[in-house]
Amino acid sequence: MGRSGMISKRGSFWLQCVVIGFCLTASAVATITVKRIADHKSEENFSVIIEQAVTSLRRTAEIYERTLGGLAGLFIASDNISFVEMDDYASAINIRENRSGINALGFASHPDPDSDSLIVQRLRPRTPGDSVIGTDFNLYPDVIAAAKRARETGKLALVADVALPINGEPVKKGIMLRPVTRGERVSEDGTRRAERFLGYVFAILDMDRAFDTLSPAQNNLVELRVWLTHADTDAPALFQNISDEKANPAPKFQRDMEVSGFGQPMRLRWSGSNRFDEIQPFRAHWILLALCLSVTGLIVLIMRFMNRRERTITRLVEEKSSELATRETERRSIIENAMLAIVSTDADGRILQVNDAAQTLLLTPKTVGLETRNIAEVLPGLDPGEPDSRFKLTLPATEYSNGETILEIEKNTWRTSGNEIRMTLLMRDITKRERQARQLAKMEERWNLALIGAQIGVFDIDFEKNTSVVSKMWRMMMNITSSSDPSDPYKDLLDHIHPDDRANLVKAHRACIEGDADRAESRFRVSDNGADWRWIQSDAVVVEWSDDGVARRMIGTQVDITDRIRVERMKQDFVATVSHELRTPLTSIKGSLGLLEAQLKDTQLPVASRLVEIAQSNSERLYNLVNDILDMEKMNAGQMQIDAKAESLSKLLVLVSDQIAPYAAQCGVGLDVSIPKGNYHIWTDQKRIIQVLTNLLSNACKFSDKGTRVRLSAQLLPGEVRIAVTNFGPGIPEEFHNRIFQPFAQADTKANKKKVGTGLGLNISRHLVESMGGTIGFKSIPDEKTIFWFTCPLADDTDTGGDAPGTEDIDQLRAVS
């Protein structure tokens, strides 16, 4: 650390000392000030409570004097005051609700002028009046003394503690007396002289009640003790509102005073209660002191932190300065050797710095100094006043270049520490990329022309990015010129599809996306300007899957097949018409040939019989062809009627085996039937399932090697029955497997050329089986065994009985049937 660092550290130390001293001094001053304010505020609160109580006490003395004065006036005004008048007076002053402590009002007098007795003559209210009337106050020396004092002074006199006989029990009460005289006068010395003395009016007082309700805060915040003036303060108090056990042993506030007005001077001592001391802010100055010390400590920590931070910043500045110098050197080295072309200019466009990559990119020899030129000369077409952005700039061909050069330039404007404007150009040669993009655009244009020529629309859907790409022919075919979302034009397709066909397209796509189907094949109609509907054949496949089996990308083609559909319908209509027209004459020909055959049976005309046999065989073949064509057309038109119901499995198999047996014998093969034991019923149409079994059994007999046996069997599966036909012969070629159920499909083999057939039987069988809720399939091993099978659902009322699945003899079943 240098000399300047030492000076800075010493100055920081003294600054900390000054700040700490100032904070401590301010803390002490604030603490003393707050303590004085708190003490003064507590003293004010205590004084307010006492002043309220003293005011209330004086108001109570006034109430006593007015009450007894009014009662004395009542007796002066009338010689005989009744109890009713006494009750009225007690009610008038509301004696029962009065908080001054008056329990009752009465009148006492001497029975005769010479008597010493002082008898209670009147007292109301009845309680405690009735039990005290007739009491002789002469029995109470304190009362007699007070009465004499009152008569001498003409003022109120109080006896604070008298045991009166109330309801037969002595009860301590206070008695305040006032003399009653009639025709009194005032002498020259100011004393009153009575012409006639009547007696005394008096009030029985509840002393506790008189002193207990002086102030609302008295019982909670202050303690009050009352003594008579002549009593010692160590003697028991006449009244105290809090017991000695609960009293404050060391009150911080206390005040003694004497009061008069009750006919007896009294000494009062007010003291702050425990509750009063608790709510006073005695600890406020200590809290403030702790807070000030905490703030002082926090300031010290902050100053130490700032001092340490200042030293850290100084060290970092020195390190950063060294690092910046290194970076500047490094930056210059990077700029000069960077692969990216960099040019720096001033506000006027004069080149200040250029690296080797820029020298090479701008196709100028190093001997030509770019620093002396303007950027507009080196990059024609560049406007230095344009806002910062990234743009492309094409430079014309020069003697150093091979054609025009295309640059991608990023322009950035900034200011130096001296507020000078600088412009930096980052340049990249994209000539090769742009040429490739142009070639790709030309290839895409040729591809679109080819698709337009072939009338094929192509679409590519990216499920992760929710985007799609479509060809121009697709837009033309779907009549979609603009899209609501340019990044996903394919989603607008559903709005143009016929409402009845939307579900088919969505179902096919979903099955392929979820992996239930290899391809998404469907047909739908799209609107042609809202007037006509065109048929579209869609074929799509998922070409990319994620690791967890989720489809990511689908590619497909869509072709306009409106003309094909029209031709197919014309062909179907033609075939249906011809078949119906042929069926009637064929029926007549078959009938005629049957009659002719019956007539020639007993004749010796072998040539004629052979000719009739050939004609009958070919008419039967033609009749079957017409029936197959009619069935196929019904299925294509959705008019094939299926009357499914519960049928006995064993009876069906016996019936079809009996029907096919002669044909099997004619083909030179045997026939075996294997049926599960038990009374099983399948849900099927008897006529149609016999048609299916006849097709399968006749094909099996036709294509079996002579001397072999064709086997018809049934196998129970959960909820369904699998019926199979097995034969041994040349089998089905592998290349024909995927076309075997197509209409008019026949394998091109030597065996097939010798066998006659329409090629419709398997196609019709597949449609019938699927219409009845089953599936059909086959398995063939060339020159060995071929199995054709299909399933039928079991009927709900099937009686499986108690027998285990097995096989029954065909003769037994035939007998039962």
Side-chain angles (χ1 to χ4, degrees):
M1 183 180 294
R3 180 178 179 83
S4 59
M6 292 293 293
I7 295 174
S8 175
K9 184 176 181 180
R10 189 179 297 112
S12 177
F13 171 76
W14 285 111
L15 177 61
Q16 291 184 30
C17 292
V18 171
V19 172
I20 293 172
F22 174 78
C23 291
L24 292 177
T25 302
S27 300
V29 172
T31 301
I32 295 172
T33 303
V34 168
K35 186 177 184 307
R36 291 179 177 177
I37 293 174
D39 291 344
H40 179 70
K41 187 65 176 177
S42 299
E43 182 67 29
E44 285 184 350
N45 294 336
F46 187 71
S47 298
V48 168
I49 295 173
I50 293 176
E51 289 174 1
Q52 292 177 351
V54 171
T55 301
S56 179
L57 190 62
R58 289 171 179 167
R59 190 179 299 114
T60 301
E62 293 175 359
I63 291 173
Y64 292 164
E65 188 170 358
R66 287 199 304 270
T67 301
L68 293 178
L71 184 59
L74 188 63
F75 278 93
I76 292 171
S78 177
D79 291 334
N80 187 15
I81 300 299
S82 66
F83 286 103
V84 174
E85 291 174 323
M86 289 284 291
D87 286 333
D88 291 341
Y89 184 77
S91 299
I93 64 173
N94 197 12
I95 192 171
R96 295 187 183 276
E97 301 296 331
N98 200 324
R99 295 186 178 182
S100 60
I102 299 176
N103 289 152
L105 296 174
F107 175 76
S109 63
H110 298 286
D112 55 74
D114 298 328
S115 175
D116 293 332
S117 298
L118 185 61
I119 306 300
V120 177
Q121 304 293 337
R122 298 283 188 273
L123 189 65
R124 279 295 183 266
R126 285 180 174 273
T127 302
D130 290 348
S131 59
V132 180
I133 292 175
T135 300
D136 187 357
F137 283 157
N138 198 37
L139 300 176
Y140 303 95
D142 291 341
V143 176
I144 295 300
K148 291 179 179 181
R149 187 171 62 251
R151 186 171 180 179
E152 292 174 357
T153 61
K155 298 180 180 179
L156 299 179
L158 172 66
V159 181
D161 191 2
V162 180
L164 294 176
I166 299 176
N167 297 326
E169 296 291 335
V171 179
K172 290 187 177 182
K173 294 289 185 178
I175 296 179
M176 182 172 288
L177 300 99
R178 183 183 188 281
V180 180
T181 58
R182 181 179 294 165
E184 63 181 12
R185 58 185 177 82
V186 180
S187 62
E188 295 179 358
D189 59 356
T191 60
R192 295 183 179 185
R193 300 297 181 182
E195 294 182 357
R196 181 184 177 190
F197 175 70
L198 300 179
Y200 298 92
V201 291
F202 64 92
I204 299 177
L205 304 178
D206 185 346
M207 301 303 294
D208 290 342
R209 185 178 179 185
F211 291 99
D212 193 43
T213 57
L214 297 179
S215 171
Q218 176 177 306
N219 292 331
N220 292 327
L221 301 181
V222 296
E223 300 174 4
L224 172 62
R225 291 177 177 84
V226 180
W227 294 272
L228 297 178
T229 305
H230 65 272
D232 189 4
T233 55
D234 294 332
L238 176 64
F239 169 81
Q240 63 181 72
N241 62 337
I242 297 178
S243 63
D244 293 334
E245 292 79 8
K246 298 181 179 179
N248 188 352
K252 295 183 173 58
F253 298 94
Q254 182 171 299
R255 185 177 301 176
D256 292 338
M257 64 174 58
E258 290 187 4
V259 295
S260 59
F262 289 87
Q264 176 73 35
M266 295 182 183
R267 182 182 304 158
L268 280 68
R269 174 172 291 174
W270 305 87
S271 303
S273 66
N274 292 321
R275 175 61 179 163
F276 183 82
D277 289 349
E278 288 175 359
I279 64 176
Q280 301 310 309
F282 295 133
R283 292 178 291 274
H285 61 287
W286 296 115
I287 296 174
L288 178 62
L289 179 61
L291 181 61
C292 292
L293 293 177
S294 299
V295 172
T296 302
L298 181 62
I299 292 174
V300 171
L301 290 177
I302 292 174
M303 294 186 66
R304 293 192 63 182
F305 172 76
M306 293 178 62
N307 189 21
R308 185 178 301 173
R309 184 170 177 269
E310 182 180 359
R311 292 198 300 270
T312 303
I313 291 174
T314 302
R315 187 182 72 255
L316 289 176
V317 168
E318 294 175 355
E319 293 176 355
K320 290 295 181 180
S321 299
S322 176
E323 185 179 348
L324 287 175
T326 304
R327 285 187 178 181
E328 178 64 20
T329 304
E330 181 181 1
R331 185 186 65 81
R332 290 183 176 274
S333 176
I334 291 174
I335 291 176
E336 293 175 358
N337 299 282
M339 299 298 293
L340 189 66
I342 302 174
V343 176
S344 179
T345 70
D346 59 11
D348 298 329
R350 183 170 59 87
I351 298 177
L352 302 177
Q353 187 177 2
V354 60
N355 64 350
D356 292 342
Q359 190 85 25
T360 303
L361 180 63
L362 296 177
L363 304 174
T364 58
K366 291 187 178 181
T367 55
V368 179
L370 291 177
E371 286 82 356
T372 60
R373 305 174 61 183
N374 192 283
I375 191 65
E377 300 176 7
V378 180
L379 299 176
L382 176 67
D383 185 3
E386 288 291 328
D388 293 351
S389 61
R390 179 179 293 183
F391 54 90
K392 296 178 183 178
L393 182 65
T394 302
L395 301 180
T398 64
E399 57 180 318
Y400 305 106
S401 64
N402 184 18
E404 65 179 13
T405 303
I406 303 175
L407 301 179
E408 183 181 54
I409 302 176
E410 182 176 349
K411 176 177 175 292
N412 296 305
T413 304
W414 50 282
R415 292 179 179 272
T416 65
S417 58
N419 204 28
E420 295 180 356
I421 298 177
R422 293 287 186 267
M423 181 176 64
T424 300
L425 301 177
L426 307 179
M427 298 179 292
R428 184 183 294 107
D429 189 353
I430 59 171
T431 304
K432 184 177 180 180
R433 188 182 71 184
E434 289 293 314
R435 289 174 181 172
Q436 291 175 348
R438 292 173 184 174
Q439 292 176 359
L440 184 62
K442 291 180 180 179
M443 292 177 62
E444 184 176 356
E445 183 65 25
R446 287 195 294 269
W447 171 250
N448 282 325
L449 291 175
L451 292 177
I452 293 174
Q455 298 291 305
I456 299 176
V458 179
F459 63 89
D460 184 350
I461 304 175
D462 190 329
F463 297 116
E464 285 190 337
K465 299 179 180 178
N466 291 325
T467 59
S468 60
V469 179
V470 297
S471 64
K472 290 183 179 180
M473 186 60 208
W474 185 90
R475 289 185 178 274
M476 296 169 59
M477 189 183 302
M478 305 304 166
N479 197 25
I480 300 176
T481 57
S482 60
S483 304
S484 59
D485 185 359
S487 64
D488 189 11
Y490 189 80
K491 73 177 183 180
D492 294 333
L493 176 61
L494 289 179
D495 296 335
H496 294 72
I497 294 179
H498 194 284
D500 297 341
D501 301 334
R502 293 173 184 169
N504 295 334
L505 178 63
V506 173
K507 181 179 179 181
H509 277 208
R510 182 179 292 111
C512 185
I513 292 171
E514 294 177 355
D516 298 334
D518 295 333
R519 309 185 72 85
E521 298 177 334
S522 63
R523 289 183 177 183
F524 56 86
R525 289 164 288 177
V526 296
S527 174
D528 187 6
N529 294 325
D532 299 326
W533 294 93
R534 293 181 291 105
W535 279 97
I536 303 297
Q537 174 73 41
S538 178
D539 187 7
V541 63
V542 176
V543 296
E544 188 176 346
W545 301 85
S546 63
D547 295 337
D548 54 355
V550 178
R552 299 173 59 183
R553 185 181 178 194
M554 173 183 277
I555 295 179
T557 61
Q558 293 174 342
V559 182
D560 190 336
I561 58 171
T562 305
D563 295 337
R564 188 196 309 172
I565 294 291
R566 188 179 298 111
V567 171
E568 288 179 357
R569 289 180 178 174
M570 292 174 61
K571 181 185 71 174
Q572 293 171 359
D573 294 341
F574 173 76
V575 171
T577 301
V578 171
S579 299
H580 280 287
E581 294 298 328
L582 287 176
R583 193 172 189 177
T584 301
L586 276 175
T587 303
S588 300
I589 292 173
K590 283 185 63 181
S592 300
L593 288 174
L595 295 174
L596 184 59
E597 183 181 18
Q599 293 179 1
L600 292 175
K601 190 173 184 180
D602 298 332
T603 63
Q604 300 296 324
L605 298 173
V607 176
S609 298
R610 176 60 180 163
L611 291 175
V612 171
E613 181 182 355
I614 293 173
Q616 191 172 14
S617 174
N618 282 280
S619 64
E620 182 69 26
R621 178 186 176 191
L622 184 59
Y623 185 78
N624 291 334
L625 174 62
V626 171
N627 285 338
D628 288 345
I629 292 175
L630 289 176
D631 285 344
M632 185 182 68
E633 292 304 317
K634 287 181 181 179
M635 288 183 291
N636 290 336
Q639 300 175 353
M640 178 65 73
Q641 298 294 326
I642 301 296
D643 184 16
K645 59 184 178 179
E647 299 287 351
S648 173
L649 174 63
S650 58
K651 290 182 180 181
L652 285 175
L653 296 183
V654 169
L655 180 61
V656 76
S657 64
D658 288 343
Q659 291 180 0
I660 206 67
Y663 185 75
Q666 182 181 347
C667 294
V669 297
L671 181 62
D672 296 329
V673 181
S674 177
I675 307 172
K677 289 182 179 180
N679 186 21
Y680 298 105
H681 290 76
I682 58 176
W683 192 260
T684 187
D685 186 330
Q686 178 178 340
K687 177 182 176 182
R688 295 305 178 185
I689 195 173
I690 290 177
Q691 182 179 351
V692 173
L693 286 170
T694 301
N695 280 332
L696 296 180
L697 287 170
S698 62
N699 284 343
C701 295
K702 187 190 306 183
F703 294 102
S704 292
D705 296 335
K706 290 188 179 296
T708 61
R709 302 189 68 82
V710 175
R711 185 170 183 266
L712 174 63
S713 62
Q715 179 186 2
L716 286 176
L717 298 175
E720 61 184 9
V721 174
R722 180 171 176 172
I723 301 174
V725 176
T726 308
N727 75 298
F728 296 88
I732 302 172
E734 181 72 25
E735 62 275 8
F736 186 63
H737 282 192
N738 59 345
R739 296 188 295 116
I740 193 169
F741 289 108
Q742 294 181 1
F744 303 104
Q746 290 182 315
D748 188 14
T749 62
K750 293 181 179 180
N752 276 359
K753 291 180 179 179
K754 296 178 183 180
K755 312 293 182 182
V756 294
T758 63
L760 294 175
L762 290 178
N763 178 263
I764 294 173
S765 297
R766 186 192 70 177
H767 282 286
L768 290 176
V769 169
E770 292 177 352
S771 298
M772 291 184 289
T775 57
I776 190 170
F778 73 97
K779 181 180 181 181
S780 180
I781 303 175
D783 298 323
E784 291 187 22
K785 180 169 63 173
T786 300
I787 302 174
F788 274 86
W789 57 267
F790 66 92
T791 61
C792 282
L794 281 169
D796 294 337
D797 60 348
T798 295
D799 181 15
T800 58
D803 298 331
T807 58
E808 292 190 89
D809 184 72
I810 186 65
D811 294 331
Q812 296 178 359
L813 293 171
R814 187 176 290 111
V816 173
S817 302

